[in-house]
Amino acid sequence: MVYVVALGGNAIAGPGLRVDYDSMLAAIKSAMRALLPLIVSRDLRLVVTHGNGPHVGLLAEALLRAGDHGLPQPLHVLTAMTQAWIGSMIKHVGEVLTRERGLEARFEVVATRVLVEVGPNTPMKPVGRLYTREEAEALASRLGWVMVEDPRGGWRRGVPSPPPLKVLDVDTVTTLLEGGFHVVACGGGGIPVVENDGVYRPVEAVVDKDLCSSKLAVALDADLLAILTDVKGVAVNYRKPGERWLRELKVDEARRLLERGEFPPGSMGPKVEAAIQYAEATGRRAVIGSLKEAYRVLRLESGTIIEP
Ligand code: ADP
Ligand code: MG
């Protein structure tokens, strides 16, 4: 059996979204401990995917400060960096935790590319930190960045966020799974590439990690897609009067609630969309739940189950 398990970017950062090594290590240890019974299970392979929002933000900022020594590094390079960075930490922690229990599990990280198309109508997504108007104007003229106004006040860099069309490197993931490895893939939503005349070239964009995970889960014909985050599942009237946490959600109902605006685009929206796409394509269930309850969520005892 193969389970695709998506870890939120926030879940692999420390309190206040700190991404210093010790905070990250502690967050990854707690996530992997929660998954340990599945990691050591003989008849199950995990494909762990992960976000990278706070991590890309830090890298971009550090490179800006490095001035001419650091610039320019395209966003797809930063995403590739976070795949190796976070992926290798997951690999180390996974192997150490199993060894400490006298067991053995092997992990490998796949630098995963994802095929997209970018055009004038591609939605934009804000990334990185908030800037003042003056800073934003300076960055726009120096680096050609597109700056977008943020509802919280200030400006952020806007980058195209196209829907993933296809995850490349699926054959590499399959080969590793067949070889007995757990695999880390689709980090940060994958390294976006466009195709021209049969050649893939990286492109300046970011892809949502939940949608990427769903595409990968479908391509692998995985037995379960589990999206783990920092809330216990999917709610209607979230943080409003009449808030209600859902235990089960049929895809038709999920789509109706999505269209009604219950799930915002930058957070719960892509998770529900990802779950719908997987459930419709495979006829199997997806689940959205809390990373803290990971084991119970993967056993479908906690979280919101999206039913085909
Ligand atoms: P991740 O890093 O795991 O991708 P996100 O911040 O993107 O996390 O999405 C999870 C967040 O979605 C939760 O922290 C919650 O605040 C928010 N959210 C928005 N709408 C809902 C909803 N209807 N039900 C549950 N959570 C919601
Ligand atoms: Mg998210």
Side-chain angles (χ1 to χ4, degrees), residues 7-10 51 125 208-210 229 265-268 270-271:
L7 307 181
N10 306 346
K125 182 188 163 158
D208 182 83
K209 72 106 179 27
D210 296 311
T229 184
S267 57
M268 192 45 75
K271 295 185 200 310

Side-chain angles (χ1 to χ4, degrees), residues 80-302:
M81 287 184 191
T82 64
Q83 289 190 348
W85 174 12
I86 299 167
S88 62
M89 288 183 75
I90 292 173
K91 171 174 164 168
H92 289 308
V93 168
E95 295 192 355
V96 167
L97 285 180
T98 47
R99 272 288 163 154
E100 281 172 357
R101 280 156 187 79
L103 299 162
E104 200 168 348
R106 299 191 68 195
F107 285 76
E108 197 45 86
V109 188
V110 175
T112 320
R113 295 164 301 166
V114 58
L115 182 65
V116 298
E117 276 168 14
V118 178
N121 297 325
T122 305
M124 301 289 277
K125 182 188 163 158
V127 296
R129 73 169 176 90
L130 284 166
Y131 297 101
T132 64
R133 173 188 283 274
E134 293 69 40
E135 286 172 323
E137 282 170 359
L139 288 165
S141 70
R142 181 154 73 99
L143 301 171
W145 284 5
V146 176
M147 305 304 289
V148 292
E149 208 164 354
D150 193 275
R152 285 168 293 182
W155 298 69
R156 293 176 79 191
R157 183 180 179 197
V159 291
S161 183
L165 301 176
K166 184 181 169 190
V167 178
L168 306 177
D169 310 297
V170 171
D171 51 344
T172 313
V173 175
T174 309
T175 304
L176 286 166
L177 291 172
E178 284 168 2
F181 287 83
H182 299 296
V183 179
V184 185
C186 276
I191 300 161
V193 298
V194 291
E195 193 204 315
N196 294 110
D197 300 325
V199 181
Y200 298 124
R201 290 176 216 284
V203 65
E204 198 63 350
V206 291
V207 179
D208 182 83
K209 72 106 179 27
D210 296 311
L211 297 178
C212 186
S213 306
S214 172
K215 276 272 183 289
L216 178 61
V218 172
L220 293 172
D221 198 24
D223 297 277
L224 180 71
L225 169 65
I227 300 178
L228 302 178
T229 184
D230 57 357
V231 283
K232 64 182 175 185
V234 181
V236 287
N237 296 317
Y238 177 65
R239 286 189 167 164
K240 287 192 286 230
E243 177 183 270
R244 190 162 55 86
W245 292 90
L246 305 172
R247 183 68 184 109
E248 279 182 0
L249 188 55
K250 293 249 186 285
V251 287
D252 298 348
E253 175 72 352
R255 207 173 277 295
R256 207 172 57 76
L257 294 172
L258 196 60
E259 278 157 17
R260 204 169 80 189
E262 291 279 350
F263 316 127
S267 57
M268 192 45 75
K271 295 185 200 310
V272 172
E273 180 67 50
I276 292 172
Q277 287 179 11
Y278 169 79
E280 281 185 337
T282 62
R284 298 198 195 96
R285 294 181 287 189
V287 62
I288 300 172
S290 165
L291 183 70
K292 291 203 188 89
E293 293 268 300
Y295 183 61
R296 293 188 58 232
V297 174
L298 273 91
R299 291 168 61 101
L300 306 182
E301 293 165 4
S302 168

